[in-house]
Amino acid sequence: MKYGEVENLETRFRMKNGDVKHGLMSASFLELDGVPHIISITRDITERKQAAEAIRESEANLSSLINNRNESIWSLDKNYNFITFNTFFSEAYFAAYNVKLKKGMNAVEMLTPELQAFWKPKYDSALSGRKTMFEFSTQLGNALQYFEVNFNPIILDGIITGVSAISVDITERKQAEEE
């Protein structure tokens, strides 16, 4: 480390009572009256580390839950960009459209004009605060498939920030109704 540079180091330390704390130590070399000094400040970041770990655990649990389903699950931000999606949806989307989904991709812009005209108003309905449920059918391979889709607004601190979606294959139910 050179004079005047600040070095940051995360560390764990044990208190006299046995508690383990996380600290962020910032140290700097400087010279005062020709004598080199090290100045160090340590901040307790235990709560921040615990909050980060709680977020990691929550994200792992959510990922496990949505990937444990054989329904398409996805969410979009208010600009129609994918926030998250489960493996089932990603694989189904690739099979139907030959597009590999990535977080941040725009769900509306990649669609044909006909599909944009179908999907965008439904996303907009959820973005305006309404729960939206609808059915649609599409040709997948040689078979006509039917789906029921539910859109719900994602609300954070009273503000709609996006749309969560679940699509369930109802083909068997539709075929039974037709018979």
Side-chain angles (χ1 to χ4, degrees):
M1 181 184 324
K2 298 178 184 173
Y3 285 110
E5 285 184 1
V6 175
E7 183 80 21
N8 292 308
L9 172 69
E10 282 191 24
T11 186
R12 292 181 347 158
F13 53 95
R14 187 172 305 277
M15 305 296 289
K16 285 182 182 179
N17 67 3
D19 290 347
V20 174
K21 299 283 186 173
H22 295 271
L24 178 64
M25 183 171 47
S26 299
S28 180
F29 286 112
L30 54 106
E31 192 172 310
L32 297 173
D33 298 326
V35 179
H37 289 76
I38 298 175
I39 296 178
S40 173
I41 298 172
T42 302
R43 291 181 295 264
D44 184 351
I45 60 168
T46 304
E47 286 183 19
R48 182 171 76 186
K49 294 290 277 187
Q50 290 169 339
E53 182 60 23
I55 290 170
R56 279 180 6 93
E57 287 177 10
S58 179
E59 287 175 347
N61 287 330
L62 178 60
S63 178
S64 178
L65 283 170
I66 70 171
N67 282 307
N68 191 34
R69 302 299 310 165
N70 286 332
E71 291 95 17
S72 292
I73 301 172
W74 70 100
S75 60
L76 306 176
D77 65 20
K78 62 184 178 180
N79 296 314
Y80 316 105
N81 298 317
F82 284 105
I83 299 169
T84 192
F85 44 83
N86 68 350
T87 304
F88 187 88
F89 177 65
S90 177
E91 290 172 356
Y93 202 92
F94 184 78
Y97 303 109
N98 201 31
V99 173
K100 178 136 178 66
L101 294 179
K102 294 182 181 139
K103 290 181 183 181
M105 289 176 78
N106 190 285
V108 173
E109 289 176 358
M110 71 172 98
L111 299 173
T112 64
E114 297 80 25
L115 289 173
Q116 284 181 8
F118 178 80
W119 287 95
K120 187 175 179 302
K122 291 169 176 47
Y123 286 130
D124 290 341
S125 177
L127 287 169
S128 72
R130 289 186 293 277
K131 291 183 177 183
T132 305
M133 194 272 295
F134 59 95
E135 293 179 2
F136 77 99
S137 62
T138 189
Q139 191 74 29
L140 293 176
N142 295 332
L144 186 61
Q145 298 286 132
Y146 295 88
F147 299 92
E148 178 180 281
V149 180
N150 288 279
F151 286 169
N152 285 299
I154 299 170
I155 301 172
L156 178 64
D157 296 329
I159 298 169
I160 297 170
T161 61
V163 177
S164 67
I166 298 177
S167 175
V168 178
D169 187 334
I170 59 168
T171 303
E172 289 181 13
R173 184 180 86 195
K174 284 294 197 180
Q175 290 170 345
E177 288 173 2
E178 289 174 7
E179 292 174 5

